[in-house]
């Protein structure tokens, strides 16, 4: 079934002309259907993430204009994965790209990453465009009087180069892929332990509105839901490793219980690869054999490779 059309949600009341904040949601939030967002004072616009294909990035560009705000002068990348960055080049005629220093290095190393996993997909004319402005711990950008805080969670989480985008006065946070609302979290490129710590950073921001990396706009209850899943994975890994089982064997024997309704349940085995590595003493964020992890996800997916929906 084809995905539903993207939609734009205004997160601030119409009367707040000093801060126009929008979430751009791509249902159903599955593989390569990420969220973006934009913040504007009516004269200066900051965009949070782009999209996985040229066509989708151009649709995002049109959605910005349709919302009555200017095209962005700044694009923030919450992390390096291609569904959030492939469309950067569509905006660089007006904008500079900003991200964590590790986001830049990971994007350079990954290159045409989505093409490698989904070579048959039509991504369009993609020019790999990495952040040209980077930060290490925190950075504050301004859209007029609107403060846009960029916060690194302090270590590897979803990736090594994650950025939380926090609007403190508006009490809104864009989490990137530290939160998948309705979808299975995904940590093989980062750290399970680090993802749990990052949730505490998110909680400390005291935001009321949470824009996840995938799935509908939500609230801080998403942090607890994500934590429950990650602790479930950690427990499975400890038990499976103690029994001498591989990540795949552990995943196939697992009872998902309350997590059975989450999309992309095959991600469990990739998350177990990361959890096993950490139990074995591998540094957080150290490279995994992603080909093996994706191969095991194919097995968990009934022998069919996971599909890019963009």
């Amino acid at each position: 079934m084809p995905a539903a059309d993207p939609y734009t949600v205004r997160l601030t009341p119409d009367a707040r002309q000093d801060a126009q904040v929008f979430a751009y949601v791509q249902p159903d939030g599955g593989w390569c259907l990420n969220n973006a967002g934009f913040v504007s004072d009516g004269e200066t616009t900051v965009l949070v993430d782009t999209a996985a294909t040229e066509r989708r990035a151009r649709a995002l560009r049109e959605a910005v204009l349709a919302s009555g705000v200017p095209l962005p002068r700044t694009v923030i990348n919450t992390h390096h994965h291609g569904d959030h960055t492939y469309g950067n080049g569509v905006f660089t005629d007006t904008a500079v790209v900003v991200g964590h220093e590790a986001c830049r290095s990971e994007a350079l190393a990954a290159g045409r990453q989505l093409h490698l996993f989904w070579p048959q997909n039509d991504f369009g004319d993609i020019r790999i465009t990495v952040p040209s402005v980077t930060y290490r711990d925190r950075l504050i950008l301004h859209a007029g009087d609107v403060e846009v805080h960029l916060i690194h969670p302090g270590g590897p989480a979803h990736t090594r180069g994650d950025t939380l985008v926090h609007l403190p006065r508006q009490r809104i946070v864009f989490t990137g892929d530290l939160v998948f609302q309705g979808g299975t979290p995904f940590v093989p490129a980062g750290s399970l332990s680090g993802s749990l710590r990052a949730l505490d950073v998110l909680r400390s921001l005291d935001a009321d509105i949470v824009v996840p990396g995938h799935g509908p706009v939500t609230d801080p209850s998403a942090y607890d839901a994500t934590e429950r899943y990650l602790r479930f994975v950690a427990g499975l890994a400890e038990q499976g490793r103690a029994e001498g089982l591989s990540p795949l064997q552990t995943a196939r024997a697992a009872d998902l219980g309350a997590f059975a309704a989450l999309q992309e349940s095959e991600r469990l085995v990739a998350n177990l690869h990361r959890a096993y590595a950490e139990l074995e003493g591998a540094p957080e964020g150290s490279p995994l054999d992603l080909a093996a992890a994706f191969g095991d996800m194919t097995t968990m997916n009934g022998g069919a490779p996971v599909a890019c929906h963009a």
Side-chain angles (χ1 to χ4, degrees):
M1 179 180 296
D5 291 337
Y7 59 91
T8 302
V9 180
R10 182 161 186 156
L11 304 178
T12 48
D14 290 345
R16 290 292 303 274
Q17 294 302 314
D18 61 325
Q20 302 177 67
V21 185
F22 301 84
Y24 183 78
V25 179
Q26 298 194 92
D28 57 2
W31 287 105
C32 296
L33 293 176
N34 68 302
N35 295 336
F38 45 102
V39 183
S40 183
D41 70 339
E43 296 184 3
T44 302
T45 302
V46 175
L47 177 66
V48 182
D49 283 335
T50 56
T53 69
E54 179 191 7
R55 176 179 61 84
R56 288 181 175 273
R58 294 197 181 281
L60 170 58
R61 182 184 175 101
E62 291 305 310
V64 173
L65 292 173
S67 297
V69 303
L71 288 172
R73 296 182 186 175
T74 306
V75 173
I76 301 167
N77 286 157
T78 60
H79 60 291
H80 75 282
H81 287 158
D83 52 336
H84 295 256
T85 62
Y86 257 26
N88 286 355
V90 167
F91 296 91
T92 51
D93 56 340
T94 63
V96 63
V97 181
V98 180
H100 189 264
E101 59 186 14
C103 174
R104 174 182 168 86
S105 62
E106 287 179 315
L108 287 169
R112 294 166 68 84
Q113 52 190 277
L114 299 186
H115 288 76
L116 296 176
F117 289 110
W118 293 286
Q120 305 306 316
N121 199 73
D122 181 11
F123 292 104
D125 181 14
I126 296 299
R127 293 169 286 129
I128 300 302
T129 306
V130 304
S132 59
V133 176
T134 62
Y135 77 100
R136 181 163 298 170
D137 299 310
R138 294 188 177 225
L139 178 67
I140 300 177
L141 304 176
H142 299 267
D145 292 333
V146 183
E147 289 192 358
V148 182
H149 291 222
L150 279 60
I151 304 167
H152 182 58
H158 178 65
T159 67
R160 292 192 301 111
D162 298 308
T163 292
L164 313 176
V165 181
H166 182 218
L167 310 178
R169 192 167 63 190
Q170 290 73 36
R171 301 175 70 91
I172 297 169
V173 65
F174 294 83
T175 70
D177 283 359
L178 294 172
V179 174
F180 289 77
Q181 180 66 2
T184 302
F186 193 62
V187 300
S191 167
L192 190 153
S193 299
S195 293
L196 288 167
R197 292 194 302 271
L199 292 173
D200 287 335
V201 177
L202 281 166
R203 291 183 178 106
S204 75
L205 301 180
D206 200 27
D208 295 326
I209 298 174
V210 176
V211 183
H214 296 254
V217 175
T218 184
D219 58 49
S221 65
Y223 308 153
D224 293 341
T226 302
E227 179 174 355
R228 286 192 293 271
Y229 176 83
L230 294 176
R231 294 200 182 280
F232 166 72
V233 172
L236 283 179
E238 290 180 1
Q239 180 179 348
R241 185 168 177 268
E243 294 175 0
L245 302 178
S246 69
L248 179 58
Q249 290 170 323
T250 298
R252 297 182 82 168
D255 178 2
L256 291 176
F259 308 110
L262 295 178
Q263 291 178 308
E264 276 99 29
S265 61
E266 70 275 3
R267 291 178 181 168
L268 172 62
V269 70
N271 293 329
L272 284 168
H273 275 266
R274 174 56 65 188
Y276 270 54
E278 292 184 9
L279 287 172
E280 292 162 5
E284 295 179 356
S286 57
L288 293 182
D289 184 344
L290 290 181
F294 267 77
D296 282 353
M297 282 195 290
T298 295
T299 300
M300 293 292 294
N301 198 38
V306 297
C308 173
H309 301 298

